[in-house]
Amino acid sequence: MAETTRLTIQIKDIDNVAVAVHDLPAGTVIECGVTTLADIPQAHKIALTDIPAGGEIIRYGVVLGYAKADIPAGSWINEHMLNLPESPSVENLPYGTNILQPEDLPMPQRTTWMGYRNETGPAATRNLLGIVTTVQCAAGVLKVAVERIKKELLPKYPNVDGVVAVTHPYGCGVAINAPLAYLPIRAITNVIRHPNFGGEIMVVGLGCEKLTYDRVLPPEDITPENVLTLQDWPGHDAMMQAILDMAEKKLQKLNLRQREELPLSELLVGMQCGGSDAFSGITANPSAGYAADLLVRGGGTVMFSEVTEVRDGVQMLAARCPDAHTRDRLAQEMKWYDDYLAAGGVDRDANPTPGNKKGGLANIVEKAMGSIAKSGTSPIVEVLSPAEKPTKHGLIYAATPASDIVCGPCQVASGIGLQVFMTGRGTPYGLDIAPVIKVCSRNEMKEHWFDMIDISAGAVATGEATIAEVGTEIFNMILDVASGIREPYSDQYGFHNDMCIFNPAPIT
Ligand code: CA
């Protein structure tokens, strides 16, 4: 059989299901000799053996769930046919049992990129003026002001790539002293210092909000050059002019910045997936994982996140923690999120979406096994809470919600210069502070959104490309986009999501 006519993919020998590479009609004889008993939609699972009621359904070598009724070989297994297993315990997880050495990782062909160096922290992939609000009340004024800055001022400063209004929903009408308020406050504090803003601080407040400047800036930075309070200005024209004058001074400084050749250790890349399907874990996420391994081997830093989408593989991540401290931090973050979900009356199985299920993902266990693949294979050198900044180089686990539009801002607050986003179903997702490269899991997705998806990993499913080949393509695009040589589609069109920062604390 030619590779391009592959019908199904079975990942591990012990798996008793395979995934359909294309829509398969009933009566198709698949590779293992089993005949399909029903029409199998693309990416959905086929039973390879008779599975009795209560029997294990195994994919990735992992128990996805238990059959609710007898499932004859050749059946379509959909999300209604299995019971979810218990969530694995986070107590006393074995650690350090799967630690790859640097020489075990693939060696990148490129070891430098062109970025804007910062005094501290990772270098910038873009040279942006970032203007951050301390309250949503200021958002309308700031958005209008930013449009004027782009039209009237930006053309005079050709070395500046853009102007971003960072308008988030936090700042007032919130329980600012609630125990969990530190999370949104930390996100805003760190976003003000995002590497792509080059250390130029510009914060716009209303004047009566709870999130006062001293909660997000040290005293020495609270100056008339850095902060502007709308209530201090008499009417529209004076207010707009004040914002434009302040912005112009920042643009003058930013315009002096130049890209220079930098080592990969100056690059911080985030990984995320969303709108996943059953191919995500075979094609797009492992390819991104290969790119992550290349970056880490080259000295770079890669962050992956999304607690509910790694929760069922926590033992696999603990095995990649080199010491008890890192393992304990991982367990703490998992436990925090378990409690957070329980307080809301749900558990991790609230995660999969209707689109995930239509794409063949039966439950959160199956989704998690695919999601973890984007972390590659290197050791986890540090575990962060949401919106914290890394202190180490290498592979970092940064706990965040899995929600695309919340994970993105959390990783941005942690300082990513670029995000790689894997999707099966398709999303126009993008971020204005850091470019987003989108990688799809199936060729059909790329054909459908040919001018919105940057890279297709679909050829891995059909056997026409290897994970290493697509992974290297992703790695090269990461360096090209980080260096400002290429623009991903989301930036070409300006498809940028809002700054939906994570706020688990009460709103008053
Ligand atoms: Ca996500």
Side-chain angles (χ1 to χ4, degrees):
M1 181 185 296
E3 293 251 79
T4 49
T5 58
R6 184 186 278 179
L7 300 176
T8 63
I9 295 176
Q10 178 182 352
I11 297 171
K12 293 278 171 71
D13 289 343
I14 65 164
D15 291 356
N16 58 8
V17 301
V19 167
V21 174
H22 310 285
D23 289 340
L24 298 177
T28 305
V29 180
I30 61 173
E31 283 87 346
C32 65
V34 166
T35 303
T36 55
L37 299 181
D39 293 346
I40 314 284
Q42 184 188 37
H44 281 248
K45 287 176 289 303
I46 306 155
L48 301 181
T49 60
D50 293 334
I51 304 171
E56 294 175 338
I57 295 167
I58 302 172
R59 186 180 173 215
Y60 297 105
V62 166
V63 176
L64 300 184
Y66 302 96
K68 288 182 178 173
D70 290 345
I71 301 175
S75 300
W76 171 27
I77 300 182
N78 64 38
E79 73 271 19
H80 305 297
M81 295 165 67
L82 62 173
N83 289 315
L84 187 69
E86 285 289 303
S87 194
S89 167
V90 297
E91 303 295 325
N92 300 312
L93 289 162
Y95 65 89
T97 55
N98 184 20
I99 303 291
L100 294 193
Q101 300 304 313
E103 56 270 24
D104 298 326
L105 299 173
M107 181 63 122
Q109 295 295 309
R110 296 163 66 183
T111 55
T112 63
W113 62 293
M114 299 295 291
Y116 302 91
R117 193 186 290 277
N118 282 313
E119 275 177 34
T120 58
T125 60
R126 295 288 182 271
N127 185 23
L128 301 174
L129 171 60
I131 311 177
V132 183
T133 56
T134 50
V135 64
Q136 174 63 211
C137 309
V141 170
L142 183 57
K143 285 178 188 169
V144 171
V146 162
E147 285 311 305
R148 285 192 54 186
I149 294 166
K150 286 180 180 172
K151 282 199 191 83
E152 298 170 28
L153 302 179
L154 192 59
K156 294 194 278 178
Y157 302 98
N159 289 343
V160 182
D161 296 318
V163 185
V164 175
V166 185
T167 59
H168 52 80
Y170 200 69
C172 207
V174 295
I176 200 85
N177 292 317
L180 292 174
Y182 73 91
L183 274 163
I185 294 173
R186 176 164 67 205
I188 295 162
T189 302
N190 285 346
V191 150
I192 292 170
R193 305 267 181 193
H194 189 275
N196 285 359
F197 298 160
E200 294 303 324
I201 295 166
M202 185 164 168
V203 177
V204 173
L206 176 60
C208 52
E209 63 272 31
K210 287 182 170 176
L211 189 70
T212 46
Y213 299 131
D214 59 331
R215 289 183 185 267
V216 293
L217 289 169
E220 64 272 22
D221 286 335
I222 305 174
T223 65
E225 290 74 38
N226 292 341
V227 303
L228 186 148
T229 305
L230 298 184
Q231 286 172 350
D232 289 350
W233 296 91
H236 169 274
D237 290 0
M239 187 181 294
M240 282 292 160
Q241 196 55 51
I243 298 173
L244 264 65
D245 288 348
M246 192 172 181
E248 181 142 34
K249 292 194 181 83
K250 302 290 180 190
L251 288 169
Q252 286 165 357
K253 290 188 197 167
L254 289 167
N255 199 49
L256 302 174
R257 304 188 87 206
Q258 300 278 352
R259 287 188 189 269
E260 58 186 294
E261 190 169 11
L262 297 170
L264 295 184
S265 56
E266 290 280 342
L267 187 57
L268 173 54
V269 171
M271 295 283 175
Q272 200 200 164
C273 59
S276 297
D277 67 5
F279 278 123
S280 296
I282 326 173
T283 62
N285 285 341
S287 299
Y290 189 89
D293 283 350
L294 288 169
L295 286 164
V296 169
R297 175 72 195 271
T301 305
V302 176
M303 181 175 283
F304 73 112
S305 298
E306 303 175 279
V307 173
T308 50
E309 293 180 11
V310 305
R311 180 66 182 83
D312 281 277
V314 66
Q315 66 286 356
M316 299 157 87
L317 298 184
R320 290 163 60 191
C321 291
D323 51 53
H325 170 72
T326 313
R327 183 272 317 262
D328 291 346
R329 284 286 298 117
L330 179 71
Q332 269 174 10
E333 293 299 334
M334 300 293 115
K335 174 81 168 50
W336 188 94
Y337 219 89
D338 285 352
D339 294 344
Y340 167 71
L341 291 177
V346 295
D347 66 17
R348 73 210 197 282
D349 199 41
N351 174 314
T353 65
N356 293 150
K357 290 174 180 170
K358 200 172 174 205
L361 290 173
N363 63 20
I364 188 61
V365 181
E366 186 171 21
K367 191 173 175 181
M369 292 307 129
S371 175
I372 284 174
K374 66 180 174 287
S375 67
T377 59
S378 36
I380 296 167
V381 296
E382 187 170 28
V383 173
L384 302 177
S385 296
E388 275 187 331
K389 292 184 180 184
T391 65
K392 294 185 175 176
H393 294 291
L395 181 67
I396 309 271
Y397 181 71
T400 73
S403 162
D404 300 349
I405 56 161
V406 180
C407 171
C410 282
Q411 287 194 351
V412 162
S414 294
I416 57 163
L418 181 150
Q419 195 179 54
V420 186
F421 189 102
M422 282 60 70
T423 185
R425 311 292 303 169
T427 166
Y429 170 88
L431 298 166
D432 47 12
I433 301 178
V436 176
I437 296 169
K438 285 209 289 294
V439 180
C440 69
S441 66
R442 294 172 299 127
N443 287 335
E444 289 84 350
M445 180 73 246
K446 176 65 180 165
E447 286 156 17
H448 186 55
W449 276 9
F450 57 93
D451 56 358
M452 289 171 66
I453 299 288
D454 298 293
I455 292 176
S456 174
V460 174
T462 58
E464 294 160 296
T466 63
I467 284 169
E469 286 166 353
V470 177
T472 303
E473 183 185 357
I474 294 170
F475 172 79
N476 283 325
M477 185 157 183
I478 289 170
L479 296 197
D480 289 348
V481 170
S483 301
I485 299 166
R486 287 178 73 183
E487 259 196 325
Y489 282 121
S490 54
D491 283 350
Q492 290 177 33
Y493 302 128
F495 289 168
H496 295 145
N497 289 90
D498 295 334
M499 192 69 186
C500 302
I501 59 172
F502 182 37
N503 177 23
I507 292 176
T508 58

